[in-house]
């Protein structure tokens, strides 16, 4: 087990290093932020002073080495616009994005798995066909359009839920969260549901396919022949086996919920990292963009690592195959 974890850890470090090269050079060869920062009336001396102040007069490879040196010390650079550490800005906005992604993931699990289980057990039922049709809509409809329709229906027409902002927050273990207040919960419902729709559809289809395959397996027939109750077969034997791919995919999708919540945060004016990224891109605030992307890389790498380890615990054959490779 330890060899498996060390090997995965080394692979994760290599991926982070490779992505740092791609992200840094990819962001720093696009546009010229100096002309976004200096006054339109600035003369050549002012422009050159700004270039030196931002460190843009150095060769790109030297800038990268300085970035690596700072990253090793926990410093991902200072924002061109705010003059503050980019990491500090992102961490300030991170709780809002994390609680939104976590809420969306919980919705996907709580809604998607039971619906997928039902449609897998009763595939010819009218309700099951309705669930599958709904999952197709969840995959097909654009997130921004669904978000706008939600605002129009639940906020404008019915007036049930607020459409923008994070609402009141409360401190839980020193972290401000909207999940601890009723006003905050009402504010997060629409954006979380909007972000979760695609994942709910994914959970439905994964669970349904797993249930249908598992119900035809010999161990289920054997359990039935032994007189094991249907509830025990489903919730002990079947669910245990189908949860391996579901855990894997949902774990990976949590990273995508964080990384790709930009559209939902923009539509619902949610003050998370996505809104900060959009502002940074528009203002060519390179350190903030690089820091955001590197944090996303770390998120995906760590989540993959955790999922791999969980997967190996659930199915020991994964460790054996890895050792064989």
């Amino acid at each position: 087990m330890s060899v498996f974890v060390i090997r995965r850890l080394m692979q994760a470090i290599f991926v982070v290093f490779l992505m740092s090269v791609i992200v840094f050079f990819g962001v720093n060869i696009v546009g010229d932020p100096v002309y976004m920062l200096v006054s339109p009336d600035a003369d050549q001396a002012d422009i050159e002073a700004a270039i030196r102040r931002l460190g843009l007069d150095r060769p790109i490879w030297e800038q990268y080495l300085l970035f690596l040196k700072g990253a090793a010390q926990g410093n991902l650079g200072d924002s061109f616009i705010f003059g503050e550490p980019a990491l500090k800005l992102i961490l300030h906005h991170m709780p809002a994005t994390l609680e939104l992604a976590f809420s969306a993931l919980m919705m996907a699990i709580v809604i998607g798995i039971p619906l997928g289980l039902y449609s897998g057990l009763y595939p010819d039922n009218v309700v099951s066909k309705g669930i599958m049709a709904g999952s197709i809509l969840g995959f097909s409809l654009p997130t921004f359009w669904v978000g706008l329709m939600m605002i129009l229906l639940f906020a404008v027409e019915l007036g049930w839920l607020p459409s923008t902002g994070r609402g009141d927050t409360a401190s839980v273990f020193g972290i401000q969260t909207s999940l601890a207040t009723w006003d905050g919960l009402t504010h997060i419902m629409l954006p979380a549901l909007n972000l979760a729709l695609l994942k709910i559809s994914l959970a439905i289809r994964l669970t349904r396919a797993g249930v249908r395959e598992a119900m035809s397996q010999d161990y289920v027939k054997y359990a039935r022949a032994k007189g094991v109750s249907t509830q025990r077969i489903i919730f002990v034997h079947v669910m245990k086996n189908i949860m391996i791919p579901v855990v894997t995919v949902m774990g990976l999708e949590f990273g995508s919920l964080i990384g790709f919540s930009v559209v939902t945060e923009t539509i619902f004016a949610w003050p998370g990292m996505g809104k900060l990224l959009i502002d940074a891109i528009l203002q060519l605030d390179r350190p903030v963009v690089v820091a955001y992307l590197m944090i996303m890389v770390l998120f995906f790498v760590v989540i993959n690592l955790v999922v791999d380890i969980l997967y190996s615990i659930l199915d020991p054959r994964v460790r054996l195959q890895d050792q064989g490779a």
Side-chain angles (χ1 to χ4, degrees):
M1 184 69 183
S2 58
V3 174
F4 176 82
V5 174
I6 292 172
R7 183 173 296 178
R8 284 287 183 270
L9 193 60
M10 296 299 292
Q11 291 174 348
I13 293 172
F14 174 74
V15 170
V16 171
F17 171 73
L18 182 62
M19 288 306 299
S20 74
V21 175
I22 296 173
V23 166
F24 188 87
F25 285 89
V27 171
N28 280 276
I29 61 175
V30 177
D32 189 346
V34 175
Y35 292 96
M36 301 285 290
L37 300 172
V38 300
S39 167
D41 300 327
D43 56 20
Q44 188 59 33
D46 294 332
I47 294 174
E48 291 178 356
I51 292 174
R52 286 194 297 274
R53 177 169 54 83
L54 299 175
L56 300 177
D57 57 328
R58 301 170 185 268
I60 186 73
W61 61 267
E62 189 175 339
Q63 293 180 43
Y64 175 68
L65 292 179
L66 289 173
F67 167 76
L68 279 186
K69 182 180 177 182
Q73 299 170 348
N75 180 12
L76 296 177
D78 293 339
S79 165
F80 289 166
I81 304 298
F82 300 102
E84 296 182 13
L87 185 59
K88 179 183 175 183
L89 287 171
I90 291 172
L91 291 178
H92 177 72
H93 291 78
M94 185 178 289
T97 297
L98 285 179
E99 69 185 18
L100 180 62
F102 179 76
S103 301
L105 183 65
M106 288 299 102
M107 284 185 177
I109 293 172
V110 171
I111 299 173
I113 292 179
L115 292 180
L117 178 62
Y118 182 85
S119 61
L121 292 173
Y122 309 102
D124 298 324
N125 191 301
V126 175
V127 177
S128 297
K129 292 179 179 177
I131 291 172
M132 296 312 295
S135 71
I136 293 174
L137 288 178
F139 276 118
S140 307
L141 296 176
T143 300
F144 71 92
W145 183 84
V146 175
L148 292 175
M149 291 302 103
M150 284 181 172
I151 291 175
L152 186 64
L153 178 61
F154 294 106
V156 178
E157 293 295 332
L158 300 176
W160 289 352
L161 295 168
S163 61
T164 59
R166 194 180 176 195
D168 295 338
T169 60
S171 178
V172 177
F173 300 114
I175 300 175
Q176 292 294 320
T177 173
S178 61
L179 298 176
T181 67
W182 176 248
D183 184 62
L185 287 173
T186 59
H187 278 78
I188 203 172
M189 283 183 186
L190 286 183
L193 182 59
N194 179 239
L195 188 60
L197 280 179
L198 181 63
K199 312 308 174 191
I200 291 173
S201 302
L202 185 61
I204 288 173
R205 289 190 165 270
L206 277 174
T207 308
R208 180 181 184 273
V211 169
R212 294 205 63 183
E213 181 181 355
M215 293 302 287
S216 63
Q217 297 296 312
D218 291 340
Y219 70 89
V220 172
K221 297 176 182 175
Y222 182 69
R224 280 178 170 163
K226 286 180 64 180
V228 179
S229 66
T230 304
Q231 288 80 5
R232 183 170 177 80
I233 292 174
I234 294 171
F235 293 105
V236 176
H237 300 288
V238 173
M239 290 300 291
K240 180 181 177 182
N241 286 290
I242 69 169
M243 286 308 290
I244 292 176
V246 174
V247 167
T248 304
V249 174
M250 286 294 111
L252 295 174
E253 290 300 319
F254 183 66
S256 71
L257 283 172
I258 296 171
F260 302 114
S261 63
V262 177
V263 174
T264 297
E265 289 188 5
T266 303
I267 293 172
F268 291 93
W270 189 261
M273 295 188 296
K275 187 175 184 303
L276 178 67
L277 175 66
I278 294 296
D279 294 340
I281 291 173
L282 292 175
Q283 297 168 328
L284 286 179
D285 197 351
R286 288 175 176 172
V288 174
V289 178
V290 171
Y292 175 87
L293 294 176
M294 287 308 303
I295 288 174
M296 287 302 103
V297 169
L298 281 175
F299 262 120
F300 277 100
V301 168
V302 170
I303 289 171
N304 271 288
L305 183 63
V306 172
V307 169
D308 277 349
I309 293 173
L310 286 177
Y311 202 94
S312 70
I313 293 173
L314 291 171
D315 187 355
R317 289 175 299 177
V318 174
R319 296 199 301 271
L320 297 175
Q321 289 173 1
D322 185 78
Q323 290 169 5

